[in-house]
Amino acid sequence: MTTVAIAAAGLIASGGEALAQKKGGNYVFANVSAVGTMDPHAAAAVVDLEAIHHVFEGLVEMGEDYGAKPMLASKVDISPDGRTFTFTLRKGVKFHNGKEMTTTDVMASFERYKKVSPNAPALGDVASMEAPDAYTFVIKLNKPNSLFVEVMKTPTYSFSIVPSELKDQPGRELEPIGTGPFQVGEWRKDSHLLLKRFDGYVADESAKGPDGYAGKKTVWLDTLRYNSVPEANTRIAALQSGGADFIATIPGDLAKRLQGRTDVKVMSVIPFCQATFITHAKNPPMSTNRNLRQAIAALIDADEMMSAAGQVWEANPSLMFKPSYYHSDVGQPWYDLHSVDKAKALLKAGNYNGEKVVLETNNNYAYMRDSSQVLVEQMKKAGINVELKMVDWTTNQADLSKGTGGWNMTITGLCSGPLLGPQQWRLSLAFAQNPDDPVVTEGYAKMFATTDAAERKKIWGGIEKYFLEEGYMMKIADIADLRGMNDKYVGIKPYYMQRFWDVWAK
Amino acid sequence: MRILRRLALRLGQAIPVILVVAVLTFFLMHLLPGDPASVIAGPEAGAEAVERIRHQLGLDRSIPEQLLLWLWHLAQGDFGTSIILNQSVLQAMGERLPVTVSLTLVSFAMTIPIGIVLGVVAAKFRNTWLDSAVMFTALVGVSVPGFWIAILSVILFSVTLGWLPASGYVPMSEGVWPWLKALLQPGAMLALFQIGFLARMTRSATLDVLDQDYIRTARAKGVSEWSTIAKHAFRNTLIPVVTATGIILSLLMGGSVVIEQVFALPGVGRLIVQAILTRDYPVVQGALLILAFLFVGINLLVDIIYTWVDPRVRYG
């Protein structure tokens, strides 16, 4: 049996800080939009998820290193054949309504997940779920999946545990009662969400301190308020004038407005997402001409594209972020070549005859718009007949996920897959509209079947190489998210989605 | 009775207008590319997840079927439920209308006295430096983009001087001063354009009246200049000014979109903008319909004020 042990993150405060820890403070976070749903099983937007993970917890959560860590479970035992997962629950954990969490709630939560979550197919291989006693929960799979615990750590469509009495509530309409360190106070849709410290919170005392979304969480703040401030200039003004303690997503060109001030600072979270062009695998001419795809990939100039948008970025040839175990250099031969000559040679070898290529982009994200415009100019230089189709983000997103809109290539920002591992990538690989490609289906089957981590990494490397070499995905760069904060509080640390436990007033 | 009949007639005329608004809004929204299911599913979800959500929301039904269903519910007073917010459209509007109405009222309270006084002063001092100064200010107010001036205002009054909050709304239940403080800046920014419009309108109307025979008569019999303007001229400028005021009230309601966005006010304008961006069909359709009702109501109110201001309308 393999046991996933609790690992402390080593992020507990230093002695000096610890002495200063005190309860109190009403923290204000000015975010880019309002919290739309507090249903962890159905939420996918980062704005929703940031609040959700303060209120709800799962059996496992992602740790500081973005790997799976037990949270409501004290340990997870995995059978040698990779088919049976036994979760031992922590005892005495309370929901915000005062009820103790047991396997009845765990069972109900997984049943609800299967009914309402868009990610329900992730449980497609579950043969049975059993609760032999109040603190033991067993999941058996039809076929081995050594990454099943990793699947369960996902912050998107989170496998959070909710009280069993809520199991029939429809998707996105769940009453927000969890086991998290904060509970919902006032929620005014489209305006603000006020979270209060949950004084009945039962922390994981076996951990030394907070560990990503797992570990021992301590809430010092009295309240945490999420305000919706969509306009970036206003968010910055709110931070400067004391109307907010923390602000999300500062555009690169506006960050300099905060320079020179000692009471506020800009925090860069990198890697946050990766900017990537996606090729439609079913729309000619790009679907039928491998050389054309490779020629376009050879034109990508990461520096020029990112600089055009004033984006903070890092070069990285991999579809995985650098901290990931799965990061490798398999993509290096096709990365950041910025060579018109190479592109021309490939076009000639592929007998490209001026067939039109449609590049769809959006005007909501500067780095997507500007990268696309730079690439279009490069494509024209290489002699490619290209049409730039500018739409809004909602249209772009729908066209990308459904394959509609007549595009040959488009651009997006991929965030959780590169951070969390191959299991999280599975949905996004379908963007190229070839989810039934045997390289993907057989690769994943093999990856799930093996318990050898090195073998899994090798198989993922093969899938990654296939997508990059074939030009189905063209990586540009890893990009940062800039956030601003004042100096009145201690304990804020950069993380993919911001956390406010273990944060206290000076 | 005549007034009541007139009002009933206007209401009757409004029904087909509102019906056309409803159907047009429905088709315009559904003509837009994009899909609310993709917004809900998130940027990293594949086609399968999106399709599951489309089915849950009933978006996989045909467009005529969705239209008929919506109209049928509408006939029963059901404006639908927001796809994104998970609350009924009426509830969503009910929560946000007080914000927009508050903003409109504060802005209106600034627009009317300032616009009218500036217009009358400009007319009285026609072709002097004062007239030019007022008209130049009005021109600036009409021409400057609201978005830009609002951001400059935030930098000056919130960041540099620290007098007013940069964003957010405080309900009146938490105190009149905090409520007013939150709305002063957005209200003033919203009023800028309308003050310019009203000042030009009032100046023009006052100039027309000041050339009339009865004004000359008033002056000839020795009535003081300001008394002539206040008692004889001003009341006769009121018909065009009241018309402009009705339009301004509607424009303030509709024009709050940009200001609500900049100042993060959770009002109807922002609700509609967000709903358009996320393709939240029921909210856009329902909210525009409710706004159409409101505009019809404002027009009726203007009609009633006409009859009070000008007896010729009442007896004509």
Side-chain angles (χ1 to χ4, degrees):
Chain A
M1 296 285 262
T2 309
T3 299
V4 179
I6 292 176
L11 277 175
I12 49 171
S14 65
E17 284 180 343
L19 282 176
Q21 286 170 336
K22 60 183 180 197
K23 282 190 177 174
N26 299 303
Y27 202 81
V28 179
F29 178 6
N31 213 339
V32 294
S33 61
V35 173
T37 178
M38 285 295 283
D39 184 345
H41 300 160
V46 171
V47 170
D48 297 342
L49 296 171
E50 279 183 324
I52 280 171
H53 287 284
H54 286 73
V55 174
F56 295 93
E57 294 172 323
L59 295 177
V60 295
E61 293 284 355
M62 57 180 187
E64 198 68 26
D65 60 358
Y66 300 106
K69 301 285 163 63
M71 182 66 239
L72 292 178
S74 58
K75 63 170 184 163
V76 187
D77 294 313
I78 306 168
S79 66
D81 66 356
R83 289 176 184 236
T84 304
F85 299 80
T86 305
F87 298 86
T88 306
L89 304 193
R90 280 167 46 216
K91 291 181 181 168
V93 173
K94 294 277 197 300
F95 285 110
H96 301 145
N97 61 8
K99 194 184 94 167
E100 190 192 358
M101 178 210 60
T102 65
T103 43
T104 309
D105 305 299
V106 177
M107 183 73 85
S109 300
F110 276 82
E111 280 169 2
R112 181 175 185 274
Y113 195 96
K114 284 202 280 188
K115 273 194 292 186
V116 306
S117 179
N119 193 38
L123 297 177
D125 292 336
V126 172
S128 69
M129 295 187 291
E130 294 159 17
D133 61 58
Y135 301 104
T136 309
F137 181 65
V138 183
I139 292 181
K140 289 183 178 162
L141 304 182
N142 289 321
K143 49 188 176 188
N145 185 347
S146 55
L147 289 176
F148 188 70
V149 176
E150 295 289 315
V151 170
M152 288 181 61
K153 79 181 177 190
T154 178
T156 309
Y157 304 128
S158 168
F159 291 89
S160 300
I161 305 306
V162 303
S164 56
E165 54 271 27
L166 307 185
K167 74 174 173 154
D168 295 324
Q169 294 195 345
R172 296 179 63 81
E173 293 178 33
L174 182 76
E175 202 179 331
I177 298 174
T179 60
F182 285 89
Q183 59 183 329
V184 173
E186 183 189 38
W187 185 13
R188 179 86 191 278
K189 296 265 181 88
D190 209 25
S191 170
H192 64 267
L193 167 71
L194 186 76
L195 302 184
K196 299 185 294 186
R197 182 178 58 238
F198 174 40
D199 286 323
Y201 179 66
V202 179
D204 180 2
E205 295 294 340
S206 67
K208 288 179 184 166
D211 181 2
Y213 274 177
K216 181 185 174 186
K217 305 168 190 169
T218 310
V219 176
W220 302 100
L221 303 172
D222 288 338
T223 62
L224 168 60
R225 183 181 165 116
Y226 292 84
N227 280 347
S228 167
V229 186
E231 169 51 39
N233 282 289
T234 315
R235 282 200 300 280
I236 293 171
L239 180 67
Q240 290 172 315
S241 62
D245 299 298
F246 190 92
I247 60 171
T249 311
I250 305 171
D253 53 341
L254 294 183
K256 48 184 172 284
R257 277 198 12 217
L258 294 172
Q259 282 172 358
R261 286 188 64 146
T262 53
D263 57 337
V264 294
K265 68 173 179 181
V266 176
M267 177 175 77
S268 173
V269 179
I270 188 162
F272 179 66
C273 292
Q274 66 170 43
T276 308
F277 285 109
I278 311 273
T279 300
H280 199 303
K282 291 178 182 165
N283 282 352
M286 286 184 72
S287 62
T288 50
N289 191 337
R290 180 177 190 252
N291 288 80
L292 172 60
R293 296 196 298 269
Q294 290 178 328
I296 295 170
L299 292 167
I300 289 177
D301 184 335
D303 186 27
E304 198 175 332
M305 289 176 174
M306 294 292 104
S307 303
Q311 181 69 49
V312 177
W313 65 287
E314 268 181 7
N316 175 14
S318 175
L319 292 181
M320 287 293 176
F321 290 147
K322 281 174 185 164
S324 169
Y325 171 72
Y326 294 93
H327 180 268
S328 72
D329 59 359
V330 293
Q332 192 65 53
W334 307 281
Y335 182 66
D336 197 19
L337 300 176
H338 47 86
S339 170
V340 175
D341 291 340
K342 186 175 174 69
K344 282 181 175 171
L346 282 162
L347 291 173
K348 195 174 173 189
N351 297 317
Y352 173 69
N353 287 318
E355 297 93 340
K356 190 165 80 177
V357 171
V358 177
L359 197 172
E360 182 170 301
T361 190
N362 68 81
N363 52 12
N364 298 74
Y365 291 94
Y367 76 88
M368 296 191 197
R369 180 196 60 216
D370 294 351
S371 296
S372 302
Q373 284 173 334
V374 168
L375 183 62
V376 161
E377 291 310 310
Q378 295 296 95
M379 287 166 79
K380 284 178 183 169
K381 273 188 201 166
I384 298 171
N385 175 15
V386 56
E387 177 194 323
L388 183 69
K389 185 181 171 192
M390 189 76 76
V391 295
D392 73 330
W393 169 240
T394 306
T395 305
N396 200 178
Q397 195 183 336
D399 284 346
L400 174 59
S401 58
K402 296 195 292 187
T404 52
W407 53 277
N408 293 109
M409 60 183 301
T410 186
I411 185 170
T412 194
L414 296 159
C415 310
S416 67
L419 194 66
L420 299 179
Q423 75 289 341
Q424 196 80 20
W425 252 109
R426 209 175 177 185
L427 287 175
S428 308
L429 287 180
F431 280 160
Q433 311 302 326
N434 56 357
D436 302 325
D437 191 318
V439 175
V440 177
T441 53
E442 289 169 19
Y444 268 89
K446 282 183 197 164
M447 204 161 28
F448 286 165
T450 180
T451 51
D452 181 352
E455 179 63 16
R456 275 203 303 269
K457 183 173 178 177
K458 194 175 153 197
I459 297 167
W460 167 254
I463 295 175
E464 189 176 334
K465 183 181 173 211
Y466 171 71
F467 271 82
L468 294 170
E469 185 176 28
E470 288 293 322
Y472 288 129
M473 290 204 177
M474 304 172 195
K475 172 80 183 272
I476 308 170
D478 292 346
I479 59 172
D481 186 39
L482 301 181
R483 301 164 191 176
M485 68 183 107
N486 62 25
D487 64 350
K488 294 177 189 163
Y489 291 84
V490 181
I492 299 284
K493 293 184 173 67
Y495 197 60
Y496 173 50
M497 288 187 273
Q498 209 59 49
R499 307 150 297 182
F500 296 102
W501 50 82
D502 291 276
V503 169
W504 61 95
K506 270 185 179 171
Chain B
M1 278 309 284
R2 189 174 288 180
I3 294 173
L4 283 178
R5 206 164 43 238
R6 189 183 161 88
L7 290 179
L9 184 69
R10 291 298 301 269
L11 269 176
Q13 287 168 342
I15 289 169
V17 171
I18 286 169
L19 202 63
V20 168
V21 168
V23 175
L24 263 183
T25 314
F26 179 91
F27 278 112
L28 282 175
M29 275 312 289
H30 283 79
L31 273 176
L32 275 180
D35 187 346
S38 294
V39 175
I40 291 171
E44 294 177 50
E48 192 186 351
V50 174
E51 274 316 307
R52 280 173 72 92
I53 295 170
R54 281 183 66 77
H55 180 68
Q56 283 169 8
L57 297 175
L59 294 171
D60 51 356
R61 293 178 178 174
S62 70
I63 296 289
E65 200 180 342
Q66 289 184 53
L67 173 63
L68 287 176
L69 204 63
W70 181 60
L71 289 175
W72 171 244
H73 286 151
L74 213 55
Q76 297 169 74
D78 177 5
F79 281 70
T81 302
S82 163
I83 293 171
I84 306 291
L85 299 169
N86 300 313
Q87 59 183 165
S88 76
V89 173
L90 282 180
Q91 190 192 349
M93 284 292 283
E95 282 180 8
R96 288 152 186 85
L97 255 181
V99 180
T100 301
V101 168
S102 297
L103 176 64
T104 304
L105 286 180
V106 168
S107 195
F108 193 67
M110 294 178 187
T111 303
I112 299 305
I114 298 174
I116 289 176
V117 167
L118 285 179
V120 171
V121 166
K124 168 72 183 81
F125 298 99
R126 174 174 20 174
N127 299 331
T128 66
W129 68 269
L130 196 58
D131 181 21
S132 304
V134 168
M135 283 305 100
F136 177 75
T137 311
L139 188 67
V140 170
V142 172
S143 314
V144 168
F147 180 79
W148 179 73
I149 194 83
I151 288 173
L152 286 190
S153 166
V154 166
I155 292 171
L156 177 64
F157 291 106
S158 304
V159 178
T160 309
L161 299 172
W163 290 351
L164 296 165
S167 60
Y169 174 73
V170 181
M172 204 189 265
S173 57
E174 292 180 27
V176 173
W177 174 234
W179 170 82
L180 191 60
K181 203 174 165 187
L183 291 172
L184 270 179
Q185 198 173 197
M189 293 304 107
L190 188 56
L192 265 185
F193 180 93
Q194 308 304 342
I195 287 172
F197 169 62
L198 185 61
R200 294 169 73 86
M201 189 78 201
T202 309
R203 177 182 181 274
S204 169
T206 310
L207 283 179
D208 286 347
V209 173
L210 286 178
D211 286 340
Q212 297 296 317
D213 290 345
Y214 57 86
I215 297 294
R216 197 180 311 121
T217 306
R219 283 173 177 153
K221 70 181 185 182
V223 179
S224 75
E225 188 62 14
W226 282 113
S227 185
T228 305
I229 289 172
K231 285 186 181 166
H232 300 279
F234 182 63
R235 181 145 191 187
N236 284 293
T237 63
L238 274 181
I239 282 282
V241 170
V242 166
T243 309
T245 304
I247 295 168
I248 284 169
L249 199 56
S250 303
L251 288 176
L252 285 175
M253 293 274 292
S256 63
V257 170
V258 172
I259 295 300
E260 284 179 8
Q261 192 76 357
V262 172
F263 289 94
L265 297 172
V268 172
R270 205 170 79 164
L271 175 74
I272 294 173
V273 168
Q274 288 302 321
I276 291 171
L277 291 177
T278 55
R279 310 292 190 268
D280 193 345
Y281 303 134
V283 168
V284 180
Q285 291 160 196
L288 288 184
L289 207 55
I290 292 167
L291 283 185
F293 277 120
L294 279 177
F295 290 161
V296 166
I298 289 171
N299 279 332
L300 279 176
L301 195 68
V302 169
D303 274 3
I304 294 168
I305 294 172
Y306 273 160
T307 59
W308 172 70
V309 169
D310 189 347
R312 288 171 301 181
V313 177
R314 192 159 50 218
Y315 300 114

PDB file of all heavy atoms in Angstrom, chain A residues 66-84:
ATOM      1  N   TYR A  66       1.854  22.490  -5.488  1.00  0.00           N
ATOM      2  CA  TYR A  66       0.772  22.155  -6.420  1.00  0.00           C
ATOM      3  C   TYR A  66       0.562  20.648  -6.585  1.00  0.00           C
ATOM      4  O   TYR A  66      -0.168  20.214  -7.469  1.00  0.00           O
ATOM      5  CB  TYR A  66       0.958  22.839  -7.788  1.00  0.00           C
ATOM      6  CG  TYR A  66       0.991  24.356  -7.658  1.00  0.00           C
ATOM      7  CD1 TYR A  66       2.172  25.062  -7.776  1.00  0.00           C
ATOM      8  CD2 TYR A  66      -0.173  25.057  -7.376  1.00  0.00           C
ATOM      9  CE1 TYR A  66       2.201  26.443  -7.612  1.00  0.00           C
ATOM     10  CE2 TYR A  66      -0.156  26.442  -7.211  1.00  0.00           C
ATOM     11  CZ  TYR A  66       1.035  27.119  -7.339  1.00  0.00           C
ATOM     12  OH  TYR A  66       1.050  28.478  -7.172  1.00  0.00           O
ATOM     13  N   GLY A  67       1.195  19.850  -5.730  1.00  0.00           N
ATOM     14  CA  GLY A  67       0.917  18.412  -5.707  1.00  0.00           C
ATOM     15  C   GLY A  67      -0.265  18.136  -4.779  1.00  0.00           C
ATOM     16  O   GLY A  67      -0.700  19.012  -4.033  1.00  0.00           O
ATOM     17  N   ALA A  68      -0.789  16.879  -4.813  1.00  0.00           N
ATOM     18  CA  ALA A  68      -1.950  16.535  -3.977  1.00  0.00           C
ATOM     19  C   ALA A  68      -1.526  16.341  -2.523  1.00  0.00           C
ATOM     20  O   ALA A  68      -0.545  15.648  -2.246  1.00  0.00           O
ATOM     21  CB  ALA A  68      -2.597  15.267  -4.507  1.00  0.00           C
ATOM     22  N   LYS A  69      -2.276  16.955  -1.605  1.00  0.00           N
ATOM     23  CA  LYS A  69      -2.019  16.810  -0.171  1.00  0.00           C
ATOM     24  C   LYS A  69      -3.349  16.508   0.527  1.00  0.00           C
ATOM     25  O   LYS A  69      -4.369  17.117   0.183  1.00  0.00           O
ATOM     26  CB  LYS A  69      -1.443  18.107   0.412  1.00  0.00           C
ATOM     27  CG  LYS A  69      -0.141  18.568  -0.226  1.00  0.00           C
ATOM     28  CD  LYS A  69       1.037  17.729   0.230  1.00  0.00           C
ATOM     29  CE  LYS A  69       2.253  17.872  -0.667  1.00  0.00           C
ATOM     30  NZ  LYS A  69       2.819  19.212  -0.710  1.00  0.00           N
ATOM     31  N   PRO A  70      -3.345  15.590   1.493  1.00  0.00           N
ATOM     32  CA  PRO A  70      -4.587  15.324   2.222  1.00  0.00           C
ATOM     33  C   PRO A  70      -5.074  16.574   2.959  1.00  0.00           C
ATOM     34  O   PRO A  70      -4.263  17.346   3.459  1.00  0.00           O
ATOM     35  CB  PRO A  70      -4.190  14.246   3.217  1.00  0.00           C
ATOM     36  CG  PRO A  70      -2.970  13.621   2.646  1.00  0.00           C
ATOM     37  CD  PRO A  70      -2.255  14.729   1.931  1.00  0.00           C
ATOM     38  N   MET A  71      -6.392  16.742   3.022  1.00  0.00           N
ATOM     39  CA  MET A  71      -6.946  17.899   3.734  1.00  0.00           C
ATOM     40  C   MET A  71      -8.003  17.426   4.726  1.00  0.00           C
ATOM     41  O   MET A  71      -7.772  17.400   5.911  1.00  0.00           O
ATOM     42  CB  MET A  71      -7.534  18.882   2.707  1.00  0.00           C
ATOM     43  CG  MET A  71      -8.108  20.146   3.309  1.00  0.00           C
ATOM     44  SD  MET A  71      -6.847  21.177   4.085  1.00  0.00           S
ATOM     45  CE  MET A  71      -7.434  21.258   5.760  1.00  0.00           C
ATOM     46  N   LEU A  72      -9.167  17.023   4.230  1.00  0.00           N
ATOM     47  CA  LEU A  72     -10.180  16.481   5.144  1.00  0.00           C
ATOM     48  C   LEU A  72      -9.883  15.005   5.432  1.00  0.00           C
ATOM     49  O   LEU A  72     -10.404  14.430   6.384  1.00  0.00           O
ATOM     50  CB  LEU A  72     -11.581  16.636   4.557  1.00  0.00           C
ATOM     51  CG  LEU A  72     -12.062  18.092   4.470  1.00  0.00           C
ATOM     52  CD1 LEU A  72     -13.441  18.177   3.821  1.00  0.00           C
ATOM     53  CD2 LEU A  72     -12.078  18.761   5.828  1.00  0.00           C
ATOM     54  N   ALA A  73      -9.097  14.409   4.554  1.00  0.00           N
ATOM     55  CA  ALA A  73      -8.606  13.057   4.844  1.00  0.00           C
ATOM     56  C   ALA A  73      -7.296  13.203   5.611  1.00  0.00           C
ATOM     57  O   ALA A  73      -6.537  14.145   5.364  1.00  0.00           O
ATOM     58  CB  ALA A  73      -8.354  12.307   3.548  1.00  0.00           C
ATOM     59  N   SER A  74      -7.058  12.282   6.555  1.00  0.00           N
ATOM     60  CA  SER A  74      -5.758  12.328   7.236  1.00  0.00           C
ATOM     61  C   SER A  74      -4.737  11.547   6.424  1.00  0.00           C
ATOM     62  O   SER A  74      -3.544  11.800   6.489  1.00  0.00           O
ATOM     63  CB  SER A  74      -5.870  11.766   8.649  1.00  0.00           C
ATOM     64  OG  SER A  74      -6.356  10.449   8.607  1.00  0.00           O
ATOM     65  N   LYS A  75      -5.221  10.566   5.645  1.00  0.00           N
ATOM     66  CA  LYS A  75      -4.319   9.836   4.754  1.00  0.00           C
ATOM     67  C   LYS A  75      -5.125   9.158   3.653  1.00  0.00           C
ATOM     68  O   LYS A  75      -6.354   9.007   3.763  1.00  0.00           O
ATOM     69  CB  LYS A  75      -3.517   8.796   5.529  1.00  0.00           C
ATOM     70  CG  LYS A  75      -4.360   7.723   6.168  1.00  0.00           C
ATOM     71  CD  LYS A  75      -3.475   6.611   6.706  1.00  0.00           C
ATOM     72  CE  LYS A  75      -4.360   5.500   7.244  1.00  0.00           C
ATOM     73  NZ  LYS A  75      -3.683   4.257   7.425  1.00  0.00           N
ATOM     74  N   VAL A  76      -4.443   8.823   2.583  1.00  0.00           N
ATOM     75  CA  VAL A  76      -5.060   8.111   1.463  1.00  0.00           C
ATOM     76  C   VAL A  76      -4.220   6.867   1.195  1.00  0.00           C
ATOM     77  O   VAL A  76      -3.011   6.971   0.962  1.00  0.00           O
ATOM     78  CB  VAL A  76      -5.085   8.974   0.179  1.00  0.00           C
ATOM     79  CG1 VAL A  76      -5.889   8.278  -0.906  1.00  0.00           C
ATOM     80  CG2 VAL A  76      -5.631  10.348   0.458  1.00  0.00           C
ATOM     81  N   ASP A  77      -4.842   5.691   1.246  1.00  0.00           N
ATOM     82  CA  ASP A  77      -4.124   4.450   0.927  1.00  0.00           C
ATOM     83  C   ASP A  77      -4.524   3.994  -0.467  1.00  0.00           C
ATOM     84  O   ASP A  77      -5.716   3.933  -0.791  1.00  0.00           O
ATOM     85  CB  ASP A  77      -4.473   3.373   1.956  1.00  0.00           C
ATOM     86  CG  ASP A  77      -3.946   3.741   3.342  1.00  0.00           C
ATOM     87  OD1 ASP A  77      -2.773   4.131   3.425  1.00  0.00           O
ATOM     88  OD2 ASP A  77      -4.722   3.689   4.310  1.00  0.00           O
ATOM     89  N   ILE A  78      -3.499   3.704  -1.283  1.00  0.00           N
ATOM     90  CA  ILE A  78      -3.749   3.302  -2.672  1.00  0.00           C
ATOM     91  C   ILE A  78      -3.320   1.845  -2.827  1.00  0.00           C
ATOM     92  O   ILE A  78      -2.196   1.481  -2.449  1.00  0.00           O
ATOM     93  CB  ILE A  78      -2.958   4.189  -3.656  1.00  0.00           C
ATOM     94  CG1 ILE A  78      -3.267   5.669  -3.377  1.00  0.00           C
ATOM     95  CG2 ILE A  78      -3.277   3.836  -5.100  1.00  0.00           C
ATOM     96  CD1 ILE A  78      -2.338   6.642  -4.073  1.00  0.00           C
ATOM     97  N   SER A  79      -4.202   1.015  -3.357  1.00  0.00           N
ATOM     98  CA  SER A  79      -3.879  -0.401  -3.531  1.00  0.00           C
ATOM     99  C   SER A  79      -2.789  -0.557  -4.591  1.00  0.00           C
ATOM    100  O   SER A  79      -2.658   0.295  -5.484  1.00  0.00           O
ATOM    101  CB  SER A  79      -5.123  -1.184  -3.938  1.00  0.00           C
ATOM    102  OG  SER A  79      -5.528  -0.771  -5.219  1.00  0.00           O
ATOM    103  N   PRO A  80      -2.005  -1.624  -4.512  1.00  0.00           N
ATOM    104  CA  PRO A  80      -0.900  -1.805  -5.470  1.00  0.00           C
ATOM    105  C   PRO A  80      -1.366  -1.825  -6.917  1.00  0.00           C
ATOM    106  O   PRO A  80      -0.610  -1.421  -7.813  1.00  0.00           O
ATOM    107  CB  PRO A  80      -0.310  -3.165  -5.066  1.00  0.00           C
ATOM    108  CG  PRO A  80      -0.736  -3.377  -3.654  1.00  0.00           C
ATOM    109  CD  PRO A  80      -2.047  -2.699  -3.498  1.00  0.00           C
ATOM    110  N   ASP A  81      -2.596  -2.281  -7.177  1.00  0.00           N
ATOM    111  CA  ASP A  81      -3.055  -2.317  -8.574  1.00  0.00           C
ATOM    112  C   ASP A  81      -3.608  -0.965  -9.042  1.00  0.00           C
ATOM    113  O   ASP A  81      -4.067  -0.835 -10.181  1.00  0.00           O
ATOM    114  CB  ASP A  81      -4.100  -3.431  -8.768  1.00  0.00           C
ATOM    115  CG  ASP A  81      -5.385  -3.159  -8.000  1.00  0.00           C
ATOM    116  OD1 ASP A  81      -5.438  -2.140  -7.260  1.00  0.00           O
ATOM    117  OD2 ASP A  81      -6.344  -3.944  -8.121  1.00  0.00           O
ATOM    118  N   GLY A  82      -3.568   0.042  -8.189  1.00  0.00           N
ATOM    119  CA  GLY A  82      -4.003   1.385  -8.583  1.00  0.00           C
ATOM    120  C   GLY A  82      -5.495   1.497  -8.828  1.00  0.00           C
ATOM    121  O   GLY A  82      -5.945   2.393  -9.546  1.00  0.00           O
ATOM    122  N   ARG A  83      -6.285   0.592  -8.223  1.00  0.00           N
ATOM    123  CA  ARG A  83      -7.729   0.620  -8.459  1.00  0.00           C
ATOM    124  C   ARG A  83      -8.541   1.012  -7.215  1.00  0.00           C
ATOM    125  O   ARG A  83      -9.681   1.422  -7.342  1.00  0.00           O
ATOM    126  CB  ARG A  83      -8.229  -0.750  -8.908  1.00  0.00           C
ATOM    127  CG  ARG A  83      -7.798  -1.129 -10.303  1.00  0.00           C
ATOM    128  CD  ARG A  83      -8.278  -2.532 -10.595  1.00  0.00           C
ATOM    129  NE  ARG A  83      -7.819  -2.977 -11.889  1.00  0.00           N
ATOM    130  CZ  ARG A  83      -8.640  -3.410 -12.858  1.00  0.00           C
ATOM    131  NH1 ARG A  83      -9.924  -3.454 -12.658  1.00  0.00           N
ATOM    132  NH2 ARG A  83      -8.155  -3.803 -14.005  1.00  0.00           N
ATOM    133  N   THR A  84      -7.978   0.817  -6.032  1.00  0.00           N
ATOM    134  CA  THR A  84      -8.748   1.074  -4.815  1.00  0.00           C
ATOM    135  C   THR A  84      -8.074   2.182  -3.997  1.00  0.00           C
ATOM    136  O   THR A  84      -6.878   2.126  -3.723  1.00  0.00           O
ATOM    137  CB  THR A  84      -8.838  -0.213  -3.962  1.00  0.00           C
ATOM    138  OG1 THR A  84      -9.401  -1.234  -4.785  1.00  0.00           O
ATOM    139  CG2 THR A  84      -9.717   0.005  -2.743  1.00  0.00           C
TER     140      THR A  84
END
